[in-house]
């Protein structure tokens, strides 16, 4: 034991003006209580200690720090009464310190070695700053004040941690320093201030309670007498696991060398042997097939044996699948002695110079996430006891690998989103492969380009729900709004004759009348429309604002005029009605989209126009793992026809809610031959591939306003469905479906078979037109 005054903060503590002193009064009270309660022979020790303290007459007297060494015999009684009897002094890190100062004045030899940085085998770096020490001391002081005088337990930790480096191994060692304040008496010098404890608890939880209390409870209001008891315990294993967990919680990427070093150093500290090596190997998957990791975790021994330098991608995937399906633990203290045939794989580890080897599968949420290798080089070995020391860290390491896997998947997703578009599940696998190959070449510093995304021989289905005469209706609404604005302006200008009769006003009236005549005659080109808008929005507005400033009496009338001209009543009503239709059709298709995948995966893409258009592609190349046959195509065609019926009924039922009455037309283009499609990265969408297939795309773009041959009648009509095709064989799948829907009363019994006009570069198109049974809106 030593009675030496030592500043354990390394003289980093800031001065703290408090009324504190060493006192044994509280300890004497403690002895008296134990004597009254203790039925065993321990009571003799407490009685003997009490007698010594009473004989020295130190009960109510403050003891200056510099005089404490005069009371060594009394301090020995404190140690005897408070230290655990099961451990000898040589193994205890125990001491006494001044109240709320980082100054130890009595303790075991070990505490002076550790806190004084005098150990022969350890050196310690004080990582606390003066501000850290000050904040921790304030937290400890105020927690004691609140507990003793307000019966409020503050959420403050009374333990501190010291980090050290073992000079023999170079590994980290951690010690927990707990401070016991049971033997400090706190008294108030006056009346205690009132405290809002709800607010105070919130501040403590957020780490800011000390600053609030410094204003509410100045420290000069209190006296502190007694001493603190310090206990130090080694917590290297706990802190090593916490270091790994801390990296996991921060979701720090594992792909940096520095992060790996921190993990490996913590694992070496856990087993207390710097010569034991570690390696982490995450199980990465693309389309559920194992692929190489980009990085080497630790020594990289598993990457050397299982990686691309020795195994082809196919061999690696096969071996990894076998391991993941039946993950087994392997351990050998000396792999050079293993001769069984099933251990032939150890030859590759021997070539790397491995001596002892353990390979452990790691699991997260019951799923294998990687392999964990523990090994040594050359002649150094370890046994099963060493592996048992790693047990507390295995879950943390597994979760760390899961983060790496999540981030790898995130990189794949990022490439897809950056290089492609929002990809549907049916074709996601193809983009996954392309993104993986791109990332792989990029990480290997090889020329990295995105491979072409191509699906061969897929059947296309095209449908369009269009708003009847939408362009005409929009033009009519625009003209009606412009005419309304001109009428309002003309009336206002006529009123202004009472205030001003000059050429500028007459010119404005002339232009207004000229534009009104142009609207009546429907003589308004796009350039004329732009000129009229400039007249209304700039010239007229500027003129009216000028008049309002010159003649304040006109202000109210002009303001009313400007507000009326700012709106577009007819256009807005039309837009609201159009949005109601497109939103209803779009929501219906969205609700059906997932159902389409149940029978067979297909690619479904919608386009917003004045209505809604969609492309669907289905075929064997979309889902190579699932057999495709013609029944899958027929099922999709039945859905296409039935969904057009449903949308026709839905949009017709909206008429009563529309501000502007609008109708929809429904169009299906039937193409009975498979085509090739590829992803256009510049347009972020799929398009047809090959000269022959381009004809399909041409027909799609030119049939929306096609007429019946030798007539002026448009094929598409309200409340009807039109099916365009080239050859009678194309619609054979649809005819039974049409009869079925007619017989069930969904479609009208009439079926029109029509020939269509020739289009640019296209001839010979035919169509079926079907009437949908709709309920008239009330």
């Amino acid at each position: 034991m030593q009675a030496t005054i030592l500043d354990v903060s390394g003289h980093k503590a800031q001065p703290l003006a408090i009324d504190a002193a060493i006192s044994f009064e509280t300890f004497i009270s403690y002895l008296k209580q134990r004597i009254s309660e203790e039925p065993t022979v321990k009571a003799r020790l407490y009685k003997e200690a009490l007698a010594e303290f009473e004989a020295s007459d130190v009960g109510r007297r403050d003891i200056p720090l510099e005089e404490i060494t005069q009371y060594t015999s009394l301090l020995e009684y404190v140690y005897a009464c408070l230290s655990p009897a099961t451990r000898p002094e040589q193994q205890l890190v125990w001491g006494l310190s001044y109240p709320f100062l980082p100054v130890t004045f009595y303790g075991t030899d070990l505490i002076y070695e550790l806190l004084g940085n005098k150990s022969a085998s350890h050196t310690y770096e004080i990582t606390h700053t003066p501000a850290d020490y000050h904040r921790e001391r304030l937290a400890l002081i105020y927690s004691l004040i609140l507990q003793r005088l307000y019966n409020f337990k503050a959420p403050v930790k009374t333990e501190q941690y010291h980090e050290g480096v073992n000079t023999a191994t170079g590994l980290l060692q951690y010690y927990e320093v707990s401070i016991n304040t049971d033997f400090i008496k706190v008294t108030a010098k006056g009346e205690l201030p009132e405290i809002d404890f709800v607010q105070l608890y919130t501040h403590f939880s957020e780490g800011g309670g000390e600053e609030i209390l410094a204003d509410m409870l100045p420290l000069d209001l209190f006296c502190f007498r007694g001493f603190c008891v310090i206990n130090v315990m080694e917590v290297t294993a706990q802190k090593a696991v916490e270091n790994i967990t801390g990296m996991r919680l921060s979701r720090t990427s594992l792909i940096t060398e520095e992060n790996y070093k921190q993990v490996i150093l913590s694992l070496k500290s856990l087993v207390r042997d710097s010569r034991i090596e570690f390696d982490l190997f995450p199980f990465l998957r693309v389309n559920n097939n194992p692929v190489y990791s980009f990085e080497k975790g630790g020594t990289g021994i598993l990457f050397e044996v299982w990686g691309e330098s020795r195994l082809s991608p196919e061999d690696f995937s096969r071996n990894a699948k076998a391991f993941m399906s039946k993950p087994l633990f392997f351990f050998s203290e000396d792999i050079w002695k293993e001769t069984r045939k099933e251990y032939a794989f150890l030859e590759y580890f021997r070539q790397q110079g491995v001596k002892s080897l353990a390979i452990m599968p790691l699991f997260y949420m019951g799923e294998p996430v990687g392999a964990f290798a523990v090994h040594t080089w050359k002649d150094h070995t370890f046994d099963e006891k060493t592996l048992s020391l790693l047990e507390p860290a295995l879950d943390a390491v597994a979760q760390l690998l899961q983060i790496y896997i999540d981030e790898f998947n995130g990189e794949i997703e990022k490439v897809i989103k950056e290089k492609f578009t929002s990809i549907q599940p049916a074709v996601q696998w193809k983009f996954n492969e392309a993104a993986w190959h791109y990332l792989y070449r990029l990480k290997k510093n090889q020329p990295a380009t995105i491979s072409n995304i191509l699906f061969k021989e897929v059947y296309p289905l095209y449908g369009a729900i269009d708003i009847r005469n939408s362009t005409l209706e929009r033009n009519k609404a625009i003209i009606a709004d412009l005419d309304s604005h001109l009428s309002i302006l003309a009336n206002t200008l006529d009123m202004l004759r009472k205030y001003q009769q000059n050429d500028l006003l007459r010119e404005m009236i002339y232009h207004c009348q000229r534009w009104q005549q142009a609207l009546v005659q429907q003589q308004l080109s796009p350039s004329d429309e732009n000129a009229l808008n400039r007249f209304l929005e700039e010239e007229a507005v500027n003129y009216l604002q000028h008049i309002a400033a010159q003649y304040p009496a006109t202000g109210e009338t002009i303001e009313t005029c400007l507000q009326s001209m700012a709106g577009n009543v007819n256009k807005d009503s039309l837009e609201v009605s159009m949005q109601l239709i497109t939103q209803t059709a779009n929501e219906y298709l969205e609700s059906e989209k997932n159902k389409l995948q149940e029978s067979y995966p297909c690619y479904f893409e919608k386009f917003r126009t004045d209505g809604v258009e969609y492309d669907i592609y289905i075929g064997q190349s979309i889902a190579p793992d699932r057999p495709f046959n013609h029944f899958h195509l027929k099922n999709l065609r039945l859905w296409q026809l039935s969904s057009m019926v449903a949308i026709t009924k839905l949009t017709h039922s909206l008429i009563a809610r529309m501000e502007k009455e609008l109708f929809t037309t429904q169009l299906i283009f039937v193409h009975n031959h498979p085509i090739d499609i590829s992803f256009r990265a510049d347009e972020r969408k799929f398009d047809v591939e090959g000269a022959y297939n381009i004809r399909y795309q041409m027909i799609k773009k030119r049939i929306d306003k096609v007429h019946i041959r030798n007539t002026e009648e448009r094929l598409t009509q309200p409340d009807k469905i039109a099916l365009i095709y080239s050859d009678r064989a194309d619609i054979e799948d649809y005819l039974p479906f049409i009869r079925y829907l007619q017989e069930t009363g969904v479609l009208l019994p009439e079926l029109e078979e029509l020939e269509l006009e020739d289009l640019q570069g296209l001839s010979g198109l035919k169509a079926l037109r079907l009437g949908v049974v709709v309920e008239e809106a009330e």
Side-chain angles (χ1 to χ4, degrees), residues 417-432:
K417 290 177 180 178
E418 287 181 354
K419 301 295 180 180
F420 305 113
T421 184
S422 180
I423 304 303
Q424 297 178 25
V427 295
Q428 177 82 47
W429 65 271
K430 193 75 171 181
F431 290 89
N432 286 345

Side-chain angles (χ1 to χ4, degrees), residues 240-242 244-246 248 391-401:
V241 174
E242 287 180 6
I244 300 172
T245 304
R248 181 192 76 226
E391 185 65 27
L394 294 183
D395 287 343
V397 174
Q399 292 187 37
L400 203 59
L401 291 182

Side-chain angles (χ1 to χ4, degrees), residues 422-480:
S422 180
I423 304 303
Q424 297 178 25
V427 295
Q428 177 82 47
W429 65 271
K430 193 75 171 181
F431 290 89
N432 286 345
E433 284 187 353
W436 151 245
H437 290 302
Y438 173 82
L439 279 178
Y440 182 79
R441 289 190 289 267
L442 195 65
K443 297 292 183 178
K444 296 299 179 181
N445 295 319
Q446 299 174 0
T449 57
I450 294 293
S451 56
N452 188 30
I453 305 296
L454 177 67
F455 292 97
K456 287 183 169 293
E457 296 188 342
V458 295
Y459 289 89
L461 293 92
Y462 170 77
I465 300 94
D466 192 28
I467 296 174
R468 179 69 165 175
N469 296 326
S470 58
T471 301
L472 179 61
E473 293 293 342
R474 184 178 282 107
N475 290 337
K476 287 169 59 178
I478 291 172
I479 290 174

Side-chain angles (χ1 to χ4, degrees), residues 238-305:
Q238 173 187 335
K239 292 297 290 184
V241 174
E242 287 180 6
N243 288 343
I244 300 172
T245 304
M247 188 177 295
R248 181 192 76 226
L249 294 177
S250 66
R251 297 195 69 83
T252 303
S253 174
L254 267 181
I255 61 176
T256 65
E257 184 178 352
E258 187 58 32
N259 291 333
Y260 270 133
K261 285 182 178 178
Q262 292 299 319
V263 173
I264 300 305
L265 181 59
S266 295
L267 292 172
K268 289 188 175 187
S269 298
L270 197 58
V271 297
R272 303 172 182 269
D273 192 339
S274 61
R275 292 177 293 177
I276 294 178
E277 304 292 347
F278 302 89
D279 192 37
L280 308 177
F281 193 92
F283 293 155
L284 305 179
R285 298 176 178 88
V286 174
N287 297 328
N288 208 34
N289 291 318
V291 295
Y292 300 127
S293 170
F294 296 144
E295 305 295 331
K296 298 179 181 179
T299 61
I301 190 68
L302 293 177
F303 191 88
E304 291 297 324
V305 175

Side-chain angles (χ1 to χ4, degrees), residues 27-293:
F27 180 71
I28 292 173
S29 299
Y30 166 81
L31 290 175
K32 291 178 180 178
Q33 180 180 353
R34 292 305 308 270
I35 291 171
S36 64
E37 297 174 348
E38 184 59 56
T40 69
V41 294
K42 286 184 179 180
R44 297 180 185 177
L45 172 61
Y46 299 141
K47 290 177 182 179
E48 181 179 337
L50 178 61
E52 289 293 325
F53 275 93
E54 290 177 342
S56 63
D57 193 28
V58 295
R60 296 185 178 276
R61 183 160 56 86
D62 294 346
I63 301 174
L65 179 61
E66 58 273 12
E67 297 179 11
I68 192 63
T69 55
Q70 301 175 17
Y71 302 92
T72 303
S73 60
L74 295 180
L75 295 174
E76 287 185 6
Y77 277 104
V78 175
Y79 168 76
C81 293
L82 299 181
S83 64
T86 57
R87 298 182 62 187
E89 174 195 333
Q90 293 80 3
Q91 297 178 8
L92 280 177
V93 188
W94 183 97
L96 303 176
S97 72
Y98 197 91
F100 303 118
L101 286 179
V103 176
T104 297
F105 57 81
Y106 183 76
T108 63
D109 293 340
L110 276 179
I111 199 168
Y112 280 96
E113 287 182 7
L114 291 172
L115 301 186
N117 200 16
K118 297 179 180 179
S119 172
S121 60
H122 298 79
T123 59
Y124 290 91
E125 178 183 356
I126 302 298
T127 58
H128 277 41
T129 66
D132 292 332
Y133 272 109
H134 190 69
R135 185 167 52 252
E136 289 178 359
R137 289 160 65 198
L138 284 179
L140 192 60
I141 292 172
Y142 279 118
S143 67
L144 186 63
I145 292 173
L146 293 171
Q147 182 178 354
R148 298 286 178 81
L149 303 181
Y150 288 91
N151 196 30
F152 175 82
K153 186 169 180 59
V156 174
K157 294 182 178 180
T158 60
E159 69 272 7
Q160 301 172 356
Y161 291 95
H162 282 245
E163 177 181 318
V165 177
N166 188 309
T167 55
T169 63
L171 300 178
L172 297 174
Q173 286 188 282
Y174 294 89
Y175 293 88
E176 177 184 331
V177 181
S178 61
I179 303 173
N180 186 327
T181 58
D182 290 348
F183 299 100
I184 294 180
K185 180 180 180 181
V186 185
T187 57
K189 296 180 180 179
E191 186 175 347
L192 290 173
E194 293 187 2
I195 296 177
D196 184 348
F197 289 99
V198 174
Q199 180 187 16
L200 181 61
Y201 194 94
T202 301
H203 284 292
F204 264 111
S205 300
E206 297 172 351
E210 304 82 35
E211 292 79 4
I212 300 297
L213 286 170
D215 295 328
M216 300 170 60
L217 300 174
L219 292 180
D220 58 8
L221 295 179
F222 306 96
C223 294
F224 305 91
R225 296 295 183 267
F227 55 82
C228 295
V229 180
I230 301 175
N231 281 281
V232 182
M233 293 185 297
E234 185 179 357
V235 289
T236 300
Q238 173 187 335
K239 292 297 290 184
V241 174
E242 287 180 6
N243 288 343
I244 300 172
T245 304
M247 188 177 295
R248 181 192 76 226
L249 294 177
S250 66
R251 297 195 69 83
T252 303
S253 174
L254 267 181
I255 61 176
T256 65
E257 184 178 352
E258 187 58 32
N259 291 333
Y260 270 133
K261 285 182 178 178
Q262 292 299 319
V263 173
I264 300 305
L265 181 59
S266 295
L267 292 172
K268 289 188 175 187
S269 298
L270 197 58
V271 297
R272 303 172 182 269
D273 192 339
S274 61
R275 292 177 293 177
I276 294 178
E277 304 292 347
F278 302 89
D279 192 37
L280 308 177
F281 193 92
F283 293 155
L284 305 179
R285 298 176 178 88
V286 174
N287 297 328
N288 208 34
N289 291 318
V291 295
Y292 300 127
S293 170

